[in-house]
Amino acid sequence: MATKIRLQRHGKKGKPFYYIVVADARAPRDGRFIERLGSYNPNTNPATIDINFDKTLNWVNDGAQPTDTCRAILAYKGVMYKNTYKVV
């Protein structure tokens, strides 16, 4: 099963709030997921990012592919730098 680390949109119209989740690549964006890793709130200044570092690092090392936006968030938090299994 190909897994992705991606954003799942919540919140009301014009006020997005995102959960960072691990999901099967074939699942819909806001559909079924395997595990919730954290949250991302772009409405605050600066944006609020809460993630479980250990769980996220474990999923990345197991081969879960982050989307472009999630990759930027994880790099900002230092998960991608700590990654021992580099996938480009």
Side-chain angles (χ1 to χ4, degrees):
M1 172 187 346
T3 55
K4 288 204 173 271
I5 299 174
R6 62 185 182 196
L7 298 177
Q8 188 178 52
R9 191 180 196 278
H10 289 278
K12 63 184 194 177
K13 185 168 47 172
K15 298 282 187 184
F17 179 83
Y18 299 95
Y19 288 130
I20 301 169
V21 298
V22 176
D24 185 0
R26 298 167 293 181
R29 179 193 72 182
D30 297 336
R32 187 172 174 180
F33 62 92
I34 300 169
E35 186 173 11
R36 188 180 327 176
L37 301 175
S39 62
Y40 167 60
N41 186 0
N43 299 317
T44 60
N45 192 7
T48 307
I49 303 169
D50 296 320
I51 62 167
N52 187 324
F53 192 88
D54 296 329
K55 278 188 190 178
T56 307
L57 184 61
N58 189 26
W59 275 106
V60 171
N61 285 336
D62 285 346
Q65 294 295 313
T67 59
D68 293 339
T69 306
C70 278
R71 184 180 301 274
I73 290 171
L74 297 181
Y76 177 76
K77 288 305 233 180
V79 174
M80 299 308 287
Y81 298 115
K82 194 116 178 172
N83 181 12
T84 57
Y85 183 74
K86 296 279 184 182
V87 177
V88 177

Coordinates of all heavy atoms in Angstrom, one line a residue:
M1 N 0.8 -1.2 0.0 CA 0.0 0.0 0.0 C 0.9 1.2 0.0 O 1.8 1.4 0.8 CB -0.9 0.0 1.3 CG -1.7 1.3 1.4 SD -2.6 1.5 3.0 CE -2.7 -0.1 3.7
A2 N 0.7 2.1 -1.0 CA 1.4 3.4 -1.0 C 0.8 4.4 -0.1 O -0.4 4.7 -0.2 CB 1.4 3.9 -2.5
T3 N 1.6 4.9 0.8 CA 1.1 5.8 1.8 C 1.6 7.2 1.5 O 2.8 7.4 1.1 CB 1.4 5.4 3.3 OG1 2.8 5.3 3.4 CG2 0.7 4.2 3.6
K4 N 0.8 8.2 1.8 CA 1.2 9.6 1.7 C 0.9 10.4 2.9 O 0.0 10.1 3.7 CB 0.4 10.3 0.5 CG 0.8 9.8 -0.8 CD 0.4 10.9 -1.9 CE 0.9 10.5 -3.2 NZ 2.3 11.0 -3.4
I5 N 1.8 11.3 3.2 CA 1.5 12.3 4.3 C 1.0 13.5 3.6 O 1.7 14.1 2.8 CB 2.8 12.6 5.1 CG1 3.4 11.3 5.7 CG2 2.6 13.6 6.1 CD1 4.8 11.5 6.3
R6 N -0.2 13.9 4.0 CA -0.9 15.0 3.3 C -1.8 15.8 4.2 O -2.0 15.4 5.4 CB -1.6 14.5 2.1 CG -2.7 13.6 2.4 CD -3.3 13.0 1.1 NE -4.4 12.2 1.3 CZ -4.9 11.3 0.4 NH1 -4.4 11.3 -0.8 NH2 -6.0 10.6 0.7
L7 N -2.3 16.9 3.7 CA -3.2 17.7 4.5 C -4.7 17.3 4.2 O -5.1 17.0 3.1 CB -3.0 19.2 4.1 CG -1.6 19.8 4.3 CD1 -1.6 21.2 3.8 CD2 -1.3 19.8 5.8
Q8 N -5.4 17.4 5.3 CA -6.9 17.1 5.3 C -7.6 18.4 5.7 O -7.4 18.8 6.8 CB -7.2 15.9 6.2 CG -8.6 15.4 6.1 CD -8.8 14.2 7.0 OE1 -8.5 14.3 8.2 NE2 -9.3 13.1 6.4
R9 N -8.4 18.9 4.8 CA -9.0 20.3 5.1 C -10.2 20.2 6.0 O -11.1 19.3 5.8 CB -9.4 20.9 3.8 CG -9.8 22.4 3.9 CD -10.1 23.0 2.6 NE -10.1 24.4 2.6 CZ -11.1 25.2 3.0 NH1 -12.2 24.6 3.5 NH2 -11.1 26.5 3.0
H10 N -10.3 21.1 7.0 CA -11.4 21.2 7.8 C -11.6 22.7 8.0 O -11.0 23.5 7.4 CB -11.1 20.6 9.2 CG -11.1 19.1 9.2 ND1 -12.3 18.3 9.2 CD2 -10.1 18.2 9.1 CE1 -12.0 17.1 9.1 NE2 -10.6 17.0 9.0
G11 N -12.6 23.1 8.8 CA -12.9 24.5 9.0 C -14.0 25.0 8.1 O -14.4 24.2 7.2
K12 N -14.4 26.2 8.2 CA -15.5 26.7 7.4 C -14.9 27.4 6.2 O -13.7 27.6 6.1 CB -16.4 27.6 8.2 CG -15.8 28.8 8.7 CD -16.9 29.5 9.6 CE -16.4 30.9 9.9 NZ -17.5 31.7 10.6
K13 N -15.8 27.8 5.3 CA -15.4 28.5 4.1 C -14.6 29.8 4.4 O -15.1 30.6 5.1 CB -16.7 28.8 3.3 CG -16.4 29.4 1.9 CD -17.6 29.4 1.0 CE -18.8 30.0 1.7 NZ -20.0 30.2 0.8
G14 N -13.4 29.9 3.8 CA -12.6 31.1 4.0 C -11.7 31.0 5.2 O -10.9 31.8 5.4
K15 N -12.0 30.0 6.1 CA -11.2 29.8 7.3 C -10.6 28.4 7.4 O -11.1 27.6 8.2 CB -12.0 30.1 8.6 CG -12.5 31.5 8.6 CD -11.5 32.5 9.1 CE -12.1 33.8 9.4 NZ -11.0 34.8 9.7
P16 N -9.7 28.0 6.5 CA -9.3 26.6 6.5 C -8.4 26.3 7.7 O -7.8 27.1 8.3 CB -8.4 26.6 5.2 CG -7.9 27.9 5.1 CD -9.0 28.8 5.6
F17 N -8.5 25.0 8.1 CA -7.8 24.4 9.1 C -7.4 23.0 8.6 O -8.3 22.3 8.1 CB -8.6 24.3 10.4 CG -7.9 23.7 11.6 CD1 -7.0 24.5 12.3 CD2 -8.0 22.4 11.9 CE1 -6.3 23.9 13.4 CE2 -7.4 21.8 12.9 CZ -6.5 22.6 13.7
Y18 N -6.2 22.6 8.8 CA -5.7 21.3 8.2 C -5.2 20.4 9.2 O -4.5 20.8 10.2 CB -4.6 21.6 7.2 CG -5.0 22.5 6.0 CD1 -4.8 23.8 6.0 CD2 -5.7 21.9 4.9 CE1 -5.1 24.6 5.0 CE2 -6.1 22.7 3.8 CZ -5.8 24.1 3.9 OH -6.2 24.9 2.9
Y19 N -5.5 19.1 9.1 CA -4.9 18.0 9.8 C -3.8 17.4 8.9 O -4.0 17.3 7.7 CB -5.9 16.9 10.2 CG -6.9 17.3 11.3 CD1 -8.2 17.1 11.1 CD2 -6.4 17.9 12.5 CE1 -9.1 17.5 12.1 CE2 -7.3 18.3 13.5 CZ -8.6 18.1 13.3 OH -9.5 18.4 14.3
I20 N -2.7 17.1 9.5 CA -1.6 16.4 8.8 C -1.8 14.9 9.1 O -1.8 14.5 10.2 CB -0.2 16.9 9.3 CG1 -0.1 18.4 9.0 CG2 0.9 16.1 8.5 CD1 1.1 19.0 9.7
V21 N -2.1 14.2 8.0 CA -2.5 12.8 8.2 C -1.7 11.9 7.3 O -1.1 12.3 6.3 CB -4.0 12.5 7.9 CG1 -4.9 13.3 8.9 CG2 -4.3 12.8 6.5
V22 N -1.6 10.6 7.7 CA -1.1 9.6 6.8 C -2.2 8.8 6.2 O -3.1 8.4 6.9 CB -0.2 8.6 7.6 CG1 0.3 7.4 6.7 CG2 1.0 9.3 8.2
A23 N -2.3 8.7 4.9 CA -3.4 8.1 4.2 C -2.9 7.3 3.0 O -1.8 7.5 2.5 CB -4.4 9.2 3.7
D24 N -3.8 6.3 2.6 CA -3.5 5.6 1.4 C -3.6 6.6 0.3 O -4.4 7.5 0.2 CB -4.6 4.5 1.3 CG -4.3 3.6 0.1 OD1 -3.3 3.8 -0.6 OD2 -5.1 2.7 -0.1
A25 N -2.7 6.4 -0.7 CA -2.6 7.3 -1.8 C -3.9 7.4 -2.6 O -4.2 8.4 -3.3 CB -1.5 7.0 -2.7
R26 N -4.7 6.3 -2.6 CA -5.9 6.2 -3.4 C -7.2 6.8 -2.6 O -8.2 7.0 -3.2 CB -6.2 4.7 -3.7 CG -5.1 4.1 -4.6 CD -5.3 2.6 -4.6 NE -5.0 2.1 -3.3 CZ -5.1 0.8 -3.0 NH1 -5.4 -0.1 -4.0 NH2 -4.8 0.3 -1.8
A27 N -7.0 7.1 -1.4 CA -8.2 7.6 -0.6 C -8.4 9.1 -1.0 O -7.5 9.8 -1.3 CB -7.8 7.5 0.9
P28 N -9.7 9.5 -0.8 CA -10.0 10.9 -1.1 C -9.3 11.9 -0.1 O -9.0 11.5 1.0 CB -11.5 11.0 -1.0 CG -12.0 9.7 -0.6 CD -10.9 8.8 -0.5
R29 N -9.2 13.1 -0.5 CA -8.5 14.1 0.3 C -9.0 14.2 1.8 O -8.2 14.2 2.7 CB -8.6 15.5 -0.3 CG -7.9 16.6 0.5 CD -8.2 18.0 0.0 NE -9.6 18.3 0.4 CZ -10.2 19.4 0.1 NH1 -9.6 20.3 -0.6 NH2 -11.4 19.6 0.5
D30 N -10.3 14.3 1.9 CA -10.9 14.5 3.2 C -11.5 13.1 3.7 O -12.3 13.1 4.7 CB -12.0 15.5 3.2 CG -11.4 16.9 2.9 OD1 -10.2 17.1 3.1 OD2 -12.1 17.8 2.4
G31 N -11.1 12.1 3.1 CA -11.7 10.8 3.4 C -10.9 10.0 4.5 O -10.3 10.6 5.4
R32 N -10.9 8.7 4.3 CA -10.3 7.8 5.3 C -8.8 8.0 5.4 O -8.1 8.2 4.4 CB -10.6 6.4 4.8 CG -10.2 5.3 5.8 CD -10.7 4.0 5.3 NE -10.1 3.0 6.2 CZ -10.4 1.7 6.1 NH1 -11.1 1.3 5.1 NH2 -9.9 0.9 6.9
F33 N -8.3 7.9 6.6 CA -6.8 8.1 6.8 C -6.4 7.0 7.8 O -7.2 6.4 8.5 CB -6.5 9.5 7.3 CG -7.1 9.9 8.6 CD1 -6.4 9.7 9.8 CD2 -8.3 10.5 8.7 CE1 -7.0 10.0 11.0 CE2 -8.9 10.9 9.9 CZ -8.2 10.6 11.1
I34 N -5.1 6.8 7.9 CA -4.5 5.8 8.7 C -4.2 6.3 10.1 O -4.6 5.7 11.1 CB -3.2 5.2 8.1 CG1 -3.6 4.5 6.8 CG2 -2.6 4.2 9.0 CD1 -2.4 4.2 5.9
E35 N -3.6 7.5 10.2 CA -3.2 8.1 11.4 C -3.1 9.6 11.3 O -2.6 10.1 10.3 CB -1.8 7.5 11.9 CG -1.4 7.9 13.3 CD -0.2 7.2 13.7 OE1 0.5 6.5 12.9 OE2 0.1 7.3 14.9
R36 N -3.5 10.3 12.3 CA -3.4 11.8 12.4 C -2.0 12.1 13.1 O -1.8 11.6 14.2 CB -4.5 12.4 13.1 CG -4.5 13.9 13.0 CD -5.6 14.6 13.7 NE -6.8 13.8 13.8 CZ -7.9 14.2 14.4 NH1 -7.9 15.4 15.0 NH2 -9.0 13.5 14.4
L37 N -1.2 12.9 12.4 CA 0.1 13.3 12.9 C 0.2 14.6 13.6 O 1.0 14.9 14.4 CB 1.1 13.2 11.8 CG 1.3 11.9 11.1 CD1 2.2 12.0 9.9 CD2 1.7 10.8 12.0
G38 N -0.7 15.5 13.2 CA -0.7 16.9 13.7 C -1.7 17.8 13.1 O -2.6 17.3 12.4
S39 N -1.5 19.1 13.2 CA -2.4 20.1 12.6 C -1.6 21.3 12.1 O -0.5 21.5 12.5 CB -3.4 20.5 13.6 OG -2.8 21.1 14.7
Y40 N -2.2 22.0 11.2 CA -1.6 23.2 10.6 C -2.7 24.2 10.5 O -3.8 24.0 9.8 CB -1.1 22.8 9.2 CG -0.7 24.0 8.4 CD1 0.2 24.9 8.8 CD2 -1.3 24.2 7.1 CE1 0.6 26.0 8.0 CE2 -0.9 25.2 6.3 CZ 0.0 26.2 6.7 OH 0.3 27.2 5.9
N41 N -2.5 25.4 11.1 CA -3.5 26.4 11.0 C -2.9 27.7 10.4 O -2.1 28.4 11.0 CB -4.0 26.8 12.5 CG -5.1 27.8 12.5 OD1 -5.6 28.2 11.4 ND2 -5.6 28.1 13.7
P42 N -3.2 27.9 9.1 CA -2.7 29.1 8.4 C -3.3 30.4 8.8 O -2.9 31.5 8.3 CB -2.9 28.7 6.9 CG -4.1 27.9 6.9 CD -4.0 27.1 8.2
N43 N -4.4 30.4 9.6 CA -5.2 31.6 9.9 C -4.4 32.5 10.9 O -4.7 33.7 11.0 CB -6.5 31.2 10.4 CG -7.4 30.5 9.4 OD1 -7.3 30.9 8.2 ND2 -8.0 29.5 9.8
T44 N -3.6 31.9 11.7 CA -2.8 32.7 12.7 C -1.6 33.3 12.1 O -1.2 32.9 11.0 CB -2.4 31.8 13.9 OG1 -1.6 30.7 13.4 CG2 -3.6 31.2 14.6
N45 N -1.1 34.3 12.7 CA 0.1 34.9 12.2 C 1.2 34.9 13.3 O 1.1 35.6 14.3 CB -0.2 36.4 11.8 CG 1.0 37.0 11.1 OD1 1.9 36.3 10.7 ND2 0.9 38.3 10.8
P46 N 2.3 34.1 13.2 CA 2.6 33.2 12.1 C 1.7 31.9 12.2 O 1.0 31.7 13.2 CB 4.0 32.9 12.4 CG 4.2 33.0 13.8 CD 3.3 34.1 14.2
A47 N 1.7 31.1 11.1 CA 0.9 29.9 11.1 C 1.3 29.0 12.2 O 2.5 28.9 12.5 CB 1.1 29.2 9.7
T48 N 0.3 28.3 12.8 CA 0.5 27.4 13.9 C 0.7 26.0 13.3 O -0.2 25.5 12.6 CB -0.7 27.4 14.8 OG1 -0.9 28.7 15.2 CG2 -0.4 26.6 16.1
I49 N 1.8 25.3 13.7 CA 2.0 23.9 13.2 C 2.3 23.1 14.5 O 3.2 23.4 15.2 CB 3.2 23.9 12.3 CG1 3.1 24.7 11.1 CG2 3.5 22.4 11.9 CD1 4.3 24.9 10.3
D50 N 1.4 22.1 14.7 CA 1.6 21.2 15.8 C 1.7 19.8 15.2 O 0.8 19.3 14.6 CB 0.4 21.2 16.8 CG 0.3 22.5 17.5 OD1 1.3 23.1 17.8 OD2 -0.9 23.0 17.6
I51 N 2.9 19.1 15.4 CA 3.0 17.7 14.9 C 3.7 16.9 16.0 O 4.4 17.4 16.8 CB 3.9 17.6 13.6 CG1 5.3 18.1 13.8 CG2 3.2 18.4 12.5 CD1 6.2 17.8 12.7
N52 N 3.4 15.6 15.9 CA 4.0 14.6 16.7 C 5.3 14.2 16.0 O 5.2 13.4 15.0 CB 3.1 13.4 17.0 CG 3.7 12.4 17.9 OD1 4.9 12.2 18.0 ND2 2.8 11.8 18.7
F53 N 6.4 14.7 16.4 CA 7.7 14.6 15.7 C 8.1 13.1 15.6 O 8.5 12.7 14.5 CB 8.8 15.3 16.5 CG 10.1 15.5 15.7 CD1 10.2 16.6 14.9 CD2 11.1 14.5 15.8 CE1 11.4 16.7 14.2 CE2 12.3 14.7 15.1 CZ 12.4 15.8 14.3
D54 N 8.0 12.3 16.6 CA 8.4 10.9 16.6 C 7.6 10.1 15.6 O 8.1 9.3 14.9 CB 8.4 10.3 18.0 CG 9.4 11.0 18.9 OD1 10.4 11.4 18.4 OD2 9.1 11.1 20.1
K55 N 6.3 10.2 15.7 CA 5.4 9.5 14.8 C 5.6 9.8 13.3 O 5.7 9.0 12.5 CB 3.9 9.7 15.1 CG 3.3 9.0 16.2 CD 1.8 9.2 16.3 CE 1.2 8.7 17.5 NZ -0.2 9.0 17.6
T56 N 5.8 11.1 13.1 CA 6.0 11.6 11.7 C 7.4 11.1 11.2 O 7.4 10.6 10.1 CB 6.0 13.1 11.7 OG1 4.8 13.6 12.3 CG2 6.1 13.6 10.3
L57 N 8.4 11.1 12.0 CA 9.7 10.6 11.6 C 9.6 9.1 11.3 O 10.2 8.6 10.3 CB 10.8 10.9 12.7 CG 12.2 10.6 12.3 CD1 12.7 11.3 11.1 CD2 13.1 10.8 13.5
N58 N 8.9 8.4 12.1 CA 8.7 7.0 11.9 C 8.1 6.7 10.6 O 8.5 5.8 9.8 CB 7.9 6.4 13.1 CG 7.9 4.9 13.0 OD1 8.8 4.2 12.5 ND2 6.9 4.3 13.6
W59 N 7.0 7.4 10.2 CA 6.3 7.2 9.0 C 7.2 7.6 7.8 O 7.2 6.9 6.8 CB 5.0 8.0 8.9 CG 3.9 7.3 9.6 CD1 3.3 7.6 10.8 CD2 3.2 6.2 9.0 NE1 2.3 6.7 11.0 CE2 2.2 5.8 10.0 CE3 3.3 5.5 7.9 CZ2 1.3 4.8 9.7 CZ3 2.4 4.4 7.6 CH2 1.4 4.1 8.6
V60 N 8.0 8.7 7.9 CA 8.8 9.1 6.8 C 9.9 8.0 6.6 O 10.3 7.6 5.5 CB 9.4 10.5 7.1 CG1 10.5 10.8 6.1 CG2 8.4 11.5 7.0
N61 N 10.5 7.5 7.7 CA 11.5 6.4 7.6 C 10.9 5.1 7.0 O 11.7 4.4 6.4 CB 12.2 6.2 8.9 CG 13.1 7.3 9.3 OD1 13.6 8.0 8.5 ND2 13.3 7.5 10.6
D62 N 9.6 4.9 7.2 CA 9.0 3.7 6.7 C 8.6 3.8 5.2 O 8.2 2.9 4.6 CB 7.8 3.3 7.5 CG 8.1 2.7 8.9 OD1 9.3 2.3 9.1 OD2 7.2 2.6 9.7
G63 N 8.8 5.0 4.7 CA 8.6 5.2 3.2 C 7.4 6.0 2.8 O 7.0 6.1 1.6
A64 N 6.7 6.6 3.8 CA 5.5 7.4 3.4 C 6.0 8.7 2.7 O 6.9 9.3 3.1 CB 4.7 7.8 4.7
Q65 N 5.4 9.0 1.6 CA 5.8 10.1 0.7 C 5.0 11.4 1.1 O 3.8 11.4 0.9 CB 5.6 9.8 -0.7 CG 6.5 8.7 -1.2 CD 8.0 9.1 -1.2 OE1 8.3 10.2 -1.6 NE2 8.8 8.2 -0.7
P66 N 5.6 12.4 1.6 CA 4.8 13.7 1.8 C 4.5 14.4 0.5 O 5.3 14.4 -0.4 CB 5.8 14.5 2.7 CG 7.1 13.9 2.5 CD 7.0 12.5 2.0
T67 N 3.4 15.1 0.5 CA 3.1 16.0 -0.6 C 4.0 17.2 -0.6 O 4.7 17.4 0.4 CB 1.6 16.4 -0.6 OG1 1.4 17.1 0.6 CG2 0.7 15.2 -0.7
D68 N 4.0 18.0 -1.6 CA 4.9 19.2 -1.7 C 4.7 20.1 -0.5 O 5.6 20.5 0.2 CB 4.6 19.9 -3.0 CG 5.1 19.1 -4.2 OD1 5.9 18.2 -4.0 OD2 4.6 19.5 -5.3
T69 N 3.4 20.4 -0.1 CA 3.1 21.3 1.0 C 3.6 20.7 2.3 O 4.2 21.3 3.2 CB 1.6 21.7 1.0 OG1 1.3 22.2 -0.2 CG2 1.4 22.7 2.1
C70 N 3.2 19.4 2.5 CA 3.6 18.7 3.7 C 5.1 18.6 3.8 O 5.7 18.7 4.9 CB 3.0 17.3 3.8 SG 1.3 17.4 4.4
R71 N 5.8 18.4 2.7 CA 7.3 18.3 2.7 C 7.9 19.6 3.2 O 8.8 19.6 4.0 CB 7.8 18.0 1.3 CG 9.3 17.8 1.3 CD 9.8 17.5 -0.1 NE 9.2 16.3 -0.7 CZ 9.7 15.1 -0.5 NH1 10.7 14.9 0.3 NH2 9.1 14.0 -1.0
A72 N 7.3 20.8 2.8 CA 7.8 22.1 3.2 C 7.5 22.2 4.7 O 8.4 22.7 5.5 CB 7.1 23.2 2.5
I73 N 6.3 21.8 5.2 CA 6.0 21.9 6.6 C 6.9 21.0 7.5 O 7.5 21.5 8.5 CB 4.5 21.5 6.9 CG1 3.6 22.6 6.3 CG2 4.2 21.4 8.4 CD1 2.1 22.2 6.3
L74 N 7.2 19.8 7.0 CA 8.0 18.9 7.8 C 9.5 19.4 7.8 O 10.2 19.2 8.7 CB 7.9 17.5 7.2 CG 6.5 16.8 7.3 CD1 6.6 15.4 6.7 CD2 6.0 16.8 8.7
A75 N 9.9 19.9 6.6 CA 11.3 20.5 6.6 C 11.4 21.7 7.6 O 12.4 21.8 8.2 CB 11.6 20.9 5.2
Y76 N 10.4 22.5 7.6 CA 10.4 23.6 8.5 C 10.5 23.2 10.0 O 11.2 23.8 10.8 CB 9.1 24.5 8.3 CG 9.0 25.6 9.3 CD1 9.7 26.8 9.1 CD2 8.1 25.6 10.3 CE1 9.6 27.9 9.9 CE2 8.0 26.7 11.2 CZ 8.7 27.8 11.0 OH 8.6 28.9 11.9
K77 N 9.8 22.1 10.3 CA 9.8 21.5 11.7 C 11.1 20.7 11.9 O 11.3 20.3 13.1 CB 8.6 20.7 12.0 CG 7.4 21.6 12.1 CD 7.6 22.6 13.2 CE 6.5 22.6 14.2 NZ 6.7 23.6 15.3
G78 N 11.8 20.3 10.9 CA 13.1 19.6 11.1 C 12.9 18.1 10.9 O 13.9 17.3 11.1
V79 N 11.8 17.6 10.5 CA 11.6 16.1 10.3 C 12.4 15.6 9.1 O 13.0 14.6 9.2 CB 10.1 15.8 10.2 CG1 9.9 14.3 9.9 CG2 9.3 16.2 11.4
M80 N 12.4 16.4 8.0 CA 13.0 15.9 6.8 C 14.6 16.0 7.0 O 15.3 15.2 6.4 CB 12.6 16.8 5.6 CG 11.2 16.7 5.3 SD 10.5 15.1 5.1 CE 11.2 14.6 3.6
Y81 N 15.1 16.8 7.9 CA 16.5 16.9 8.1 C 17.0 15.7 9.0 O 18.1 15.2 8.9 CB 16.9 18.2 8.8 CG 16.6 19.4 7.9 CD1 15.6 20.3 8.3 CD2 17.2 19.5 6.7 CE1 15.3 21.4 7.5 CE2 16.9 20.6 5.9 CZ 16.0 21.5 6.3 OH 15.7 22.6 5.5
K82 N 16.1 15.2 9.8 CA 16.4 14.1 10.7 C 16.2 12.8 10.0 O 16.6 11.7 10.5 CB 15.5 14.2 12.0 CG 16.0 13.3 13.1 CD 16.3 14.2 14.2 CE 16.7 13.2 15.4 NZ 17.2 13.9 16.5
N83 N 15.6 12.8 8.8 CA 15.2 11.6 8.1 C 16.5 10.8 7.8 O 17.4 11.3 7.2 CB 14.5 12.0 6.8 CG 14.1 10.8 6.0 OD1 14.1 9.7 6.4 ND2 13.6 11.1 4.8
T84 N 16.5 9.5 8.1 CA 17.7 8.7 7.9 C 17.6 8.0 6.5 O 18.6 7.6 6.0 CB 17.9 7.7 9.0 OG1 16.8 6.9 9.0 CG2 18.2 8.3 10.3
Y85 N 16.4 7.9 6.0 CA 16.2 7.2 4.7 C 15.8 8.3 3.7 O 14.6 8.6 3.5 CB 15.0 6.2 4.9 CG 14.8 5.4 3.6 CD1 15.6 4.4 3.2 CD2 13.6 5.6 2.9 CE1 15.4 3.7 2.1 CE2 13.3 4.9 1.8 CZ 14.2 3.9 1.4 OH 14.0 3.2 0.3
K86 N 16.8 8.9 3.1 CA 16.5 10.0 2.2 C 15.9 9.6 0.9 O 16.4 8.7 0.2 CB 17.8 10.8 1.8 CG 18.5 11.4 3.0 CD 17.8 12.7 3.3 CE 18.6 13.4 4.5 NZ 18.1 14.6 4.9
V87 N 14.8 10.2 0.5 CA 14.1 9.9 -0.7 C 13.9 11.2 -1.4 O 13.3 12.2 -0.9 CB 12.7 9.2 -0.5 CG1 12.0 9.1 -1.9 CG2 12.9 7.9 0.2
V88 N 14.5 11.4 -2.6 CA 14.4 12.7 -3.3 C 13.3 12.6 -4.4 O 13.0 11.7 -5.0 CB 15.8 13.0 -4.0 CG1 15.7 14.3 -4.7 CG2 16.8 13.1 -2.9

